Amino acid sequence: MAVRDLDDYPWDAVAPFAARARVHPGGIVDLSIGSPVDPTPEVVAAALRDATDAHAYPQTVGTAALRSAITAWYGRRRAVPGLSVDEVLPTVGSKELVALLPLLMDLGPGDIVVHPRAAYPTYEVGAKLVGATPLAADDPAQWPAGTRLVWLNTPGNPDGRVLGVDELRAAVTRARDLGAVIVSDECYAELGWDGPWADAPIPSILDPRVVGQDRRDVLSVYSLSKQSNLAGYRAAFLAGDADLVSRLLTARKHLGLMLPGPVQSAMTAALADDTHVAAQRERYRARREVLRPALVAAGFRIDHSEGGLYLWATEGVDAWKTMDRLADLGILAGPGHFYGAHFPEHVRFSLTATDERIRAAAQRLAPTS
């Protein structure tokens, strides 16, 4: 498959609904895209400003300070002790890594790339780009021979599903039986809400309870876009199998995939400061506590959504019909059709809107007598 053969960008189909929502007397409430609206933390912005004398080329591998900050963060926040700087690598946001990993792994026709049934579409795009076969399957028993790459996403986008230690361990075991690399996209891991995740940290695939000390063919991917409001910085990283990290580093050097020096400094500051992360988490918690009951009262069923940045909801009709109704209320969401073929009646509501806009959505959703 060539780049010219890629499907049209799916969000273009939402434009007519957005146009209708914008003419609502109270303005649009855009809950469609998970793009942060809150300010970049000052500790991060200050680090960026202090690093603007960036006259030399940055290192693809990342500065020593950044790599040390990543390893320390995994130990402190993800219960993954003992990572070395050779087991981590910064990336230009996480989306480029998701899209390019099949290419960087030299996958192609005949190879299978497994991803979740409710999935961020870039997992499938990355497979198709190299001629590999994408397969949506959550049950490891359904992963076939020929699988070379497995994507997990926990908490999931769009569905907020969280995988526990036992589920992660079963996935790693199956991937190794198949000789596949397994990668867990964990960029919402600081946002656990319901069930055990209301009080306990969401586990990483690199947690010793999952892999012991054997990180062979296992990677964790993380982004600072959500926890630190750094979507515009394109600040992310991966960690895991040192041999695989080394091979990816070599390929990325050849392709010039390097983070700007000031961004590396900003990431280092962000990873060392937990205070702003806790504050942002509470903002999202408060918005969720307004929006979730409003959706339920309006006739929606919320599925999963125990973690992450979204509410995965259905009112039992085709998602485009729901989008139509929401547009009349001045609300824009994301149709389930964008996240695979298995959830045509779901829509995704993002928590990345201001407090005022979330309250406006709740008021508009309120049943009328």
Side-chain angles (χ1 to χ4, degrees):
M1 179 178 184
V3 172
R4 64 177 177 271
D5 297 323
L6 290 175
D7 296 334
D8 291 338
Y9 193 59
W11 284 99
D12 294 342
V14 171
F17 299 93
R20 283 175 50 203
R22 287 192 189 98
V23 302
H24 188 277
I28 188 173
V29 178
D30 190 346
L31 306 179
S32 62
I33 303 290
S35 184
V37 298
D38 301 304
T40 297
E42 177 56 27
V43 66
V44 179
L48 186 78
R49 289 193 298 268
D50 290 344
T52 53
D53 182 16
H55 50 271
Y57 286 113
Q59 291 184 300
T60 303
V61 72
T63 65
L66 175 56
R67 286 180 286 158
S68 294
I70 295 171
T71 62
W73 178 85
Y74 266 103
R76 189 178 73 252
R77 302 299 302 178
R78 306 306 320 279
V80 182
L83 278 175
S84 75
V85 294
D86 294 327
E87 294 174 296
V88 299
L89 184 63
T91 65
V92 190
S94 58
K95 184 171 183 175
E96 64 89 348
L97 176 70
V98 171
L100 291 179
L101 189 58
L103 173 67
L104 300 181
M105 288 179 55
D106 197 27
L107 303 189
D111 296 325
I112 297 170
V113 176
V114 170
H115 60 77
R117 292 176 78 241
Y120 183 59
T122 310
Y123 304 125
E124 180 177 343
V125 168
K128 289 182 174 180
L129 192 65
V130 297
T133 301
L135 174 66
D138 293 329
D139 183 355
Q142 296 177 352
W143 301 347
T147 298
R148 294 280 308 282
L149 173 62
V150 175
W151 282 107
L152 305 179
N153 185 201
T154 173
N157 174 10
D159 63 353
R161 179 186 178 205
V162 176
L163 301 178
V165 168
D166 291 344
E167 292 169 297
L168 290 170
R169 189 187 303 118
V172 170
T173 298
R174 176 60 175 164
R176 285 177 169 166
D177 288 345
L178 294 167
V181 169
I182 185 167
V183 187
S184 181
D185 182 346
E186 301 174 348
C187 69
Y188 303 98
E190 290 280 4
L191 304 176
W193 309 120
D194 294 337
W197 320 119
D199 303 306
I202 290 171
S204 171
I205 198 170
L206 298 179
D207 191 308
R209 294 173 296 171
V210 177
V211 295
Q213 298 304 311
D214 181 7
R215 295 189 272 269
R216 169 179 45 92
D217 291 331
V218 179
L219 293 176
S220 162
V221 176
Y222 198 78
S223 166
L224 299 184
S225 293
K226 315 307 180 186
Q227 73 159 49
S228 301
N229 298 328
L230 297 189
Y233 284 51
R234 310 313 301 135
F237 48 88
L238 59 85
D241 181 345
D243 289 339
L244 184 53
V245 169
S246 178
R247 297 201 302 272
L248 294 175
L249 172 60
T250 297
R252 294 175 70 84
K253 284 180 178 179
H254 282 295
L255 294 173
L257 294 171
M258 62 187 80
L259 273 169
V263 173
Q264 296 194 36
S265 295
M267 288 179 66
T268 303
L271 288 164
D273 180 73
D274 296 336
T275 302
H276 77 273
V277 180
Q280 188 60 43
R281 173 187 170 87
E282 289 311 306
R283 291 187 190 105
Y284 286 136
R285 181 196 298 278
R287 291 165 186 164
R288 187 176 185 272
E289 290 177 352
V290 172
L291 185 59
R292 182 185 177 101
L295 288 169
V296 172
F300 286 89
R301 184 185 76 235
I302 310 295
D303 289 335
H304 287 300
S305 305
E306 58 263 28
L309 202 56
Y310 309 103
L311 293 169
W312 187 231
T314 176
E315 52 181 355
V317 300
D318 186 86
W320 290 117
K321 186 173 181 179
T322 298
M323 292 285 291
D324 188 66
R325 183 170 83 87
L326 291 170
D328 287 339
L329 299 174
I331 299 171
L332 189 67
H337 299 282
F338 289 1
Y339 305 100
H342 304 284
F343 300 93
E345 295 183 349
H346 280 71
V347 293
R348 189 192 76 170
F349 294 89
S350 173
L351 302 176
T352 54
T354 65
D355 295 349
E356 183 275 330
R357 289 287 83 187
I358 293 288
R359 288 193 299 269
Q363 292 166 0
R364 296 176 192 183
L365 286 163
T368 57
S369 55

